[in-house]
């Protein structure tokens, strides 16, 4: 890595001076009594449903859910890229219900990810280790969980390309294919690096996160605030090549889940650095996504797909965006973001749960994994369950969810 401590300090200290002008002082943590009683009731009913579903299904889950087929979970043994969401969902259920059974199951599931802390072949180590191992450390105090998460961060920074100042998304380190490919999803893996810097005192982890976020900030957002899924760079020179996509409709479209990753990820980076430019980017992306939402408040899989707003939905994009908007509302003091987030969570709870199916093993339906590949259209996905519960807890029990995911601001 070629990032100096001075660079990191300039971000975390110098930018804070201008942050005051970009956002009002943070108010006290919002609570459920700020929401209409009807919305709070809907969210409680959804959380109750999720907990009961998990109580019935979780004891017989022996792998890591990756998606459903005929309403039953299919599994990965090593966790694929989504392995952290199952223990994370169990942790959310534990925080909501205070049932120690979920705590035990979450710890057992997280242990199975231990070999992945040394995996340098993927950018998804934040997805794997933050909702599982970081949360386990925060809720148990057992330093072995923290140490494993820091090792995962150490593996992740090996994917940093100092010439282009980005973390490559896919492929082994010695694989030239995809070596210059950057995707919006990686914004959600950066908080693992911020965590490692806080725990070790080594600013290089956060420095990599900051440089990657700045690269995404520079090249991804269009003037209207929409974003592509992918941006390609020459891996040798670091020179930009141009936008692209894998899971979106086209290089010029706006994949809704990617936009949600961006809203959440840039808001988190603002909280970890105090850099108002990250907050401004989060707002640009959020404003576009909010405007693109239909009246049902469930995102279509791509905001610019030809058949939108009547195309297939992706409830997971809604759950992720709701969490990001709740975060953004606190960071900016703008209650409108919170209102939209609660509407999304309420819509998901009323129209996207698996209540009508006795055989369904997931909580949230109407998700779309990869529309262009015809892979997982209108199924259930583990991250939809996780972020729905995180979002509901952010509304109903913010102090509880803060114990798990750290909602603090620099």
């Amino acid at each position: 890595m070629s990032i100096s401590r001075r660079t990191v300090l300039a971000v975390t200290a110098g930018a804070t001076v201008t942050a005051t002008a970009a956002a009002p002082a943070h108010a006290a943590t919002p609570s459920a009594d700020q929401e209409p009683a009807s919305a709070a009731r809907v969210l409680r009913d959804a959380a109750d449903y999720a907990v009961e579903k998990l109580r019935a299904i979780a004891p017989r889950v022996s792998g890591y859910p990756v998606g459903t087929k005929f309403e039953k979970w299919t599994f990965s043994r090593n966790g694929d890229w989504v392995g952290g969401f199952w223990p994370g969902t169990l942790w959310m259920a534990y925080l909501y219900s205070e049932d120690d059974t979920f705590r035990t199951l979450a710890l057992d599931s997280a242990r199975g990810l231990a070999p992945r802390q040394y995996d340098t072949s993927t950018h998804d180590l934040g997805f794997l280790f933050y909702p599982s191992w970081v949360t386990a450390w925060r809720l148990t105090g057992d330093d072995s969980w923290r140490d494993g998460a820091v090792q995962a961060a150490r593996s992740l920074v090996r994917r940093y390309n100092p010439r282009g100042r980005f973390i490559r998304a896919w492929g082994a380190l010695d694989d030239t294919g995809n070596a210059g490919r950057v995707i919006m999803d990686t914004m959600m893996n950066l908080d693992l690096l911020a965590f490692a810097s806080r725990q070790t005192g080594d600013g290089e982890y956060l420095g990599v996160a900051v440089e990657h976020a700045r690269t995404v900030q520079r090249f991804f957002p269009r003037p209207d605030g929409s974003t592509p899924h992918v941006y390609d760079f020459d891996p040798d020179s670091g020179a930009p090549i141009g936008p692209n996509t894998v899971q979106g409709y086209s290089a010029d479209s706006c994949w809704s889940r990617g936009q949600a990753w961006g809203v959440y990820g840039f808001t988190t980076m603002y909280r970890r650095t105090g850099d108002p430019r990250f907050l401004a980017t989060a707002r640009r992306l959020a404003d576009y996504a909010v405007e693109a939402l239909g009246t049902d408040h469930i995102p279509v899989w791509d905001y610019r797909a030809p058949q939108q707003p009547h195309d297939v939905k992706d409830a997971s994009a809604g759950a992720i965006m709701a969490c990001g908007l709740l975060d953004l509302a606190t960071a900016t003091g703008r209650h409108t973001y919170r209102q939209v987030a609660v509407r999304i969570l309420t819509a998901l709870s009323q129209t996207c749960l698996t209540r009508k199916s006795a055989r369904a093993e997931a909580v949230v339906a109407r998700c779309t994994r990869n529309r262009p590949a015809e892979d997982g259209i209108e199924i259930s996905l583990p991250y939809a369950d996780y972020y729905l519960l995180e979002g509901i807890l952010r509304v109903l029990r913010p102090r509880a969810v803060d114990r798990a995911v750290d909602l603090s601001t620099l």
Side-chain angles (χ1 to χ4, degrees), residues 79-264:
D80 197 78
W81 74 271
V82 297
F85 293 119
W86 180 247
T89 301
L90 296 170
W91 280 124
M92 294 298 111
Y94 165 69
L95 289 171
Y96 181 78
S97 68
E98 299 181 349
D99 182 344
D100 282 339
T101 301
F102 291 120
R103 181 183 188 276
T104 300
L105 291 169
L107 291 170
D108 288 345
S109 178
R111 288 187 187 98
L113 296 172
R116 300 296 301 278
Q117 65 189 282
Y118 303 101
D119 187 351
T120 61
S121 69
T122 178
H123 71 121
D124 286 316
L125 292 165
F127 285 130
L128 286 166
F129 283 89
Y130 206 100
S132 57
W133 285 50
V134 172
T135 296
W137 173 71
R138 289 179 59 81
L139 295 179
T140 69
D142 182 342
D143 285 347
S144 64
W145 298 110
R146 178 195 62 192
D147 296 345
V150 170
Q151 173 56 51
R154 192 174 299 124
S155 298
L156 178 57
V157 295
R158 292 187 60 190
R159 301 182 64 76
Y160 180 67
N161 182 321
R163 294 173 297 281
R165 298 183 177 182
F166 61 79
I167 297 170
R168 65 175 290 182
W170 297 315
L173 296 179
D174 58 356
D175 180 4
T176 57
N178 291 318
R181 180 144 283 192
V182 178
I183 67 174
M184 182 61 80
D185 317 40
T186 309
M187 287 300 304
M188 291 294 290
N189 292 310
L190 302 184
D191 204 21
L192 181 68
L193 301 180
F195 171 80
S197 276
R198 292 195 303 274
Q199 296 304 313
T200 64
D202 184 348
E204 284 192 310
Y205 294 104
L206 180 60
V208 165
V210 166
E211 292 296 343
H212 178 89
R214 284 176 171 169
T215 297
V216 174
Q217 180 182 61
R218 180 181 176 189
F219 291 102
F220 276 66
R222 305 182 183 105
D224 65 358
S226 66
T227 60
H229 176 209
V230 175
Y231 207 99
D232 289 320
F233 296 82
D234 183 307
D236 296 320
S237 68
I241 295 174
N244 211 322
T245 197
V246 173
Q247 288 174 265
Y249 176 77
S250 73
D252 298 320
S253 71
C254 184
W255 178 49
S256 62
R257 191 159 72 243
Q259 192 81 1
W261 293 138
V263 172
Y264 195 143

Side-chain angles (χ1 to χ4, degrees), residues 300-302 305-313 371 378:
V300 295
W301 72 279
D302 192 303
Q307 295 180 358
Q308 66 82 29
H310 307 294
D311 212 331
V312 295
K313 299 291 187 175
R371 182 75 167 89
E378 295 269 1

